[in-house]
Amino acid sequence: MSTIIGVDIGTSVTKAVAFGEDGTALASASQRSHLEMLPGGRVEQDLDDVVSGVGGVVREVTAKLGRLPDAVALTGQGDGLWLRDRDGRPVRPAISWMDARASDLVARWLTDGTIGTAYAHTGSGMFPGCHGPLLNWLQEHEPRSLDRAAVAGYCVDAVAQRLTGRVCLDASDATLPFLDPRTRRYAPEALAACGIAERAGLLPPPAAPGTVLALHGPGAGLLGLPEGLPVVAGPYDLPACAIGSGVREAGDGVLILGTTLASQVLTDRVDLDPLAEPAGMWLCTPAPDRWLRAMPAMVGTAALEWVLCLVGATTADVDCLLADSPPGARGVRAFPFLSEAGERAPFVDPSAQGRLDGLSLATGRADAVRAVCEAIGYAARHCLEAAGLNGTLALCGGGTRSLTWARLIADILGRPVRIPGEEQVGALGVVSVARASLYPGYAVSPGRHRVIEPRDDVRALYEDGYGRYRAELGTARAAWGTHPRPPGHPGNL
């Protein structure tokens, strides 16, 4: 039985899982990565530290297996900016997707139409932690970093280059913000709009679906595996989770209840509507005629962790706290927009702010926690509606460890949610892609799952709550003052 190790290089944790042919997890390991949280909302990572973490978890899983794997498959965080030289060495620390240094630039681009112009050619919005504003910011403030670089890539292809000596960028990573998802080529209009057309040579062309790499000598030494072992790099974590969660038919979707709150819906067409609000993206998948309409909000479980810290609780207390506050949280309401970079889906606004209101002396800590959990659920519903969900929905991510919270999500969405039996669906998804690349004709099994149904007795309450959330959000966006209108929008007349 062939065994493939899937590695999911998250923002804060790198995980490795060995899977058998039937999708059964055989061994796993994890290791935390280091994030540099710097003044001004800057967030950076050390590529060498990330690569070392990959080596550590792969070696640990191989030892637990007691035999060598047949291949390694890589997925991980997307966006951000991972600048390297020709040998794959970083020319500066990697800039995380969480970074906020370009927030003012994005706010200006939202109001002057720059983002709308790029969106008309790519269907991708922009936020401070993606390539467009980051490259422009570096061009203005650190041009020598760009001069020294040979590749402006992402996390997964940066690690793959260190393991194989080759630059191999998956089309899903390349999507945001310059790729025309219909042709899988960079749109020169988007590069020009961002003022970085002269840096286009730093962007590697997307690799063909099914590309298989091989460990070179240094990579083999790092992982403790034989030179020449097959390596598959990508798709990155959002589409990998969709694949691993069993999203197969157009209209089906997945909600990732993780550090970020990522909503995706599979589609068989790309609609680049120039009048649509420039948010989200159309992610390329391994199938050339399938895309994922993605609406990844900045903050998911990170907002829950924030309020738990505020009230002196931990994730182990979530179920009890939710049980101690009724649906509606006794009138306490929240916005979950806690990232210093604002929000990126289903709207882009670097000025977006979180809030917790409706408080009184009668408010308990359970009410505050439930209000934030409900706000995350409302944000998820907003994202899924914008992404066009009309089929089944899978729910995955660390938040699903709380079945009470998962049930709350189903209640707010008003639809059943399907929770995969395998928790590390990103690693499973990229392993499935690797098997299809290595063994033509391989069919991905649907996998085990459990279904949580919404409860009828809270439906009306959450319908009202969602309506109030949307109305209050509209008022807040007007106050934030960066609501974008794309070129040609009727409101510009």
Side-chain angles (χ1 to χ4, degrees), residues 102 150-151 154-155 194 218 308 336 403 444 474:
V151 179
Y154 304 79
C155 176
C194 294
L308 288 171
L403 291 180
V444 181

PDB file of all heavy atoms in Angstrom, residues 102 150-151 154-155 194 218 308 336 403 444 474:
ATOM      1  N   ALA A 102       0.693  47.887   4.295  1.00  0.00           N
ATOM      2  CA  ALA A 102       0.172  48.523   3.087  1.00  0.00           C
ATOM      3  C   ALA A 102      -1.299  48.920   3.222  1.00  0.00           C
ATOM      4  O   ALA A 102      -1.968  49.163   2.222  1.00  0.00           O
ATOM      5  CB  ALA A 102       0.359  47.595   1.891  1.00  0.00           C
ATOM      6  N   ALA A 150      14.877  37.105  -7.222  1.00  0.00           N
ATOM      7  CA  ALA A 150      14.627  36.450  -8.504  1.00  0.00           C
ATOM      8  C   ALA A 150      13.199  35.937  -8.586  1.00  0.00           C
ATOM      9  O   ALA A 150      12.665  35.746  -9.679  1.00  0.00           O
ATOM     10  CB  ALA A 150      15.605  35.289  -8.720  1.00  0.00           C
ATOM     11  N   VAL A 151      12.575  35.693  -7.417  1.00  0.00           N
ATOM     12  CA  VAL A 151      11.229  35.127  -7.367  1.00  0.00           C
ATOM     13  C   VAL A 151      10.410  35.870  -6.313  1.00  0.00           C
ATOM     14  O   VAL A 151      10.857  36.010  -5.168  1.00  0.00           O
ATOM     15  CB  VAL A 151      11.253  33.619  -7.018  1.00  0.00           C
ATOM     16  CG1 VAL A 151       9.834  33.058  -6.958  1.00  0.00           C
ATOM     17  CG2 VAL A 151      12.089  32.848  -8.023  1.00  0.00           C
ATOM     18  N   TYR A 154       5.306  32.511  -2.915  1.00  0.00           N
ATOM     19  CA  TYR A 154       4.445  32.261  -1.780  1.00  0.00           C
ATOM     20  C   TYR A 154       5.101  31.213  -0.894  1.00  0.00           C
ATOM     21  O   TYR A 154       6.196  30.718  -1.188  1.00  0.00           O
ATOM     22  CB  TYR A 154       3.064  31.794  -2.260  1.00  0.00           C
ATOM     23  CG  TYR A 154       2.399  32.759  -3.213  1.00  0.00           C
ATOM     24  CD1 TYR A 154       2.757  32.807  -4.562  1.00  0.00           C
ATOM     25  CD2 TYR A 154       1.409  33.628  -2.768  1.00  0.00           C
ATOM     26  CE1 TYR A 154       2.155  33.696  -5.440  1.00  0.00           C
ATOM     27  CE2 TYR A 154       0.794  34.523  -3.648  1.00  0.00           C
ATOM     28  CZ  TYR A 154       1.173  34.551  -4.973  1.00  0.00           C
ATOM     29  OH  TYR A 154       0.570  35.436  -5.837  1.00  0.00           O
ATOM     30  N   CYS A 155       4.437  30.841   0.173  1.00  0.00           N
ATOM     31  CA  CYS A 155       5.026  29.920   1.137  1.00  0.00           C
ATOM     32  C   CYS A 155       5.300  28.536   0.527  1.00  0.00           C
ATOM     33  O   CYS A 155       6.397  27.999   0.649  1.00  0.00           O
ATOM     34  CB  CYS A 155       4.104  29.794   2.347  1.00  0.00           C
ATOM     35  SG  CYS A 155       4.644  28.592   3.568  1.00  0.00           S
ATOM     36  N   CYS A 194      -1.366  48.318 -10.554  1.00  0.00           N
ATOM     37  CA  CYS A 194      -0.668  48.341  -9.269  1.00  0.00           C
ATOM     38  C   CYS A 194       0.693  49.031  -9.345  1.00  0.00           C
ATOM     39  O   CYS A 194       1.396  49.122  -8.333  1.00  0.00           O
ATOM     40  CB  CYS A 194      -0.486  46.919  -8.749  1.00  0.00           C
ATOM     41  SG  CYS A 194      -2.038  46.098  -8.327  1.00  0.00           S
ATOM     42  N   PRO A 218      20.145  18.389  -1.102  1.00  0.00           N
ATOM     43  CA  PRO A 218      19.914  19.121   0.152  1.00  0.00           C
ATOM     44  C   PRO A 218      18.514  18.893   0.725  1.00  0.00           C
ATOM     45  O   PRO A 218      18.352  18.778   1.952  1.00  0.00           O
ATOM     46  CB  PRO A 218      20.107  20.585  -0.261  1.00  0.00           C
ATOM     47  CG  PRO A 218      20.992  20.535  -1.466  1.00  0.00           C
ATOM     48  CD  PRO A 218      20.593  19.287  -2.188  1.00  0.00           C
ATOM     49  N   LEU A 308     -12.038  34.895  24.404  1.00  0.00           N
ATOM     50  CA  LEU A 308     -11.759  33.969  25.503  1.00  0.00           C
ATOM     51  C   LEU A 308     -10.672  34.527  26.419  1.00  0.00           C
ATOM     52  O   LEU A 308     -10.771  34.443  27.647  1.00  0.00           O
ATOM     53  CB  LEU A 308     -11.335  32.607  24.950  1.00  0.00           C
ATOM     54  CG  LEU A 308     -12.434  31.772  24.293  1.00  0.00           C
ATOM     55  CD1 LEU A 308     -11.824  30.555  23.594  1.00  0.00           C
ATOM     56  CD2 LEU A 308     -13.477  31.323  25.316  1.00  0.00           C
ATOM     57  N   PRO A 336     -16.701  40.689  14.081  1.00  0.00           N
ATOM     58  CA  PRO A 336     -15.474  39.919  14.287  1.00  0.00           C
ATOM     59  C   PRO A 336     -14.264  40.452  13.524  1.00  0.00           C
ATOM     60  O   PRO A 336     -13.307  39.725  13.304  1.00  0.00           O
ATOM     61  CB  PRO A 336     -15.881  38.538  13.750  1.00  0.00           C
ATOM     62  CG  PRO A 336     -16.794  38.860  12.608  1.00  0.00           C
ATOM     63  CD  PRO A 336     -17.541  40.117  13.010  1.00  0.00           C
ATOM     64  N   LEU A 403     -18.499  20.928  18.962  1.00  0.00           N
ATOM     65  CA  LEU A 403     -19.728  20.581  18.242  1.00  0.00           C
ATOM     66  C   LEU A 403     -20.844  21.564  18.560  1.00  0.00           C
ATOM     67  O   LEU A 403     -21.741  21.785  17.740  1.00  0.00           O
ATOM     68  CB  LEU A 403     -20.147  19.155  18.575  1.00  0.00           C
ATOM     69  CG  LEU A 403     -19.239  18.054  18.030  1.00  0.00           C
ATOM     70  CD1 LEU A 403     -19.767  16.676  18.423  1.00  0.00           C
ATOM     71  CD2 LEU A 403     -19.117  18.150  16.511  1.00  0.00           C
ATOM     72  N   VAL A 444     -10.636  10.048  -5.973  1.00  0.00           N
ATOM     73  CA  VAL A 444     -10.667  10.450  -4.579  1.00  0.00           C
ATOM     74  C   VAL A 444     -11.934   9.916  -3.919  1.00  0.00           C
ATOM     75  O   VAL A 444     -13.044  10.097  -4.425  1.00  0.00           O
ATOM     76  CB  VAL A 444     -10.633  11.989  -4.460  1.00  0.00           C
ATOM     77  CG1 VAL A 444     -10.650  12.415  -3.002  1.00  0.00           C
ATOM     78  CG2 VAL A 444      -9.402  12.542  -5.155  1.00  0.00           C
ATOM     79  N   GLY A 474     -23.761  47.694   7.261  1.00  0.00           N
ATOM     80  CA  GLY A 474     -23.880  48.750   6.268  1.00  0.00           C
ATOM     81  C   GLY A 474     -23.648  50.127   6.867  1.00  0.00           C
ATOM     82  O   GLY A 474     -22.953  50.973   6.278  1.00  0.00           O
TER      83      GLY A 474
END
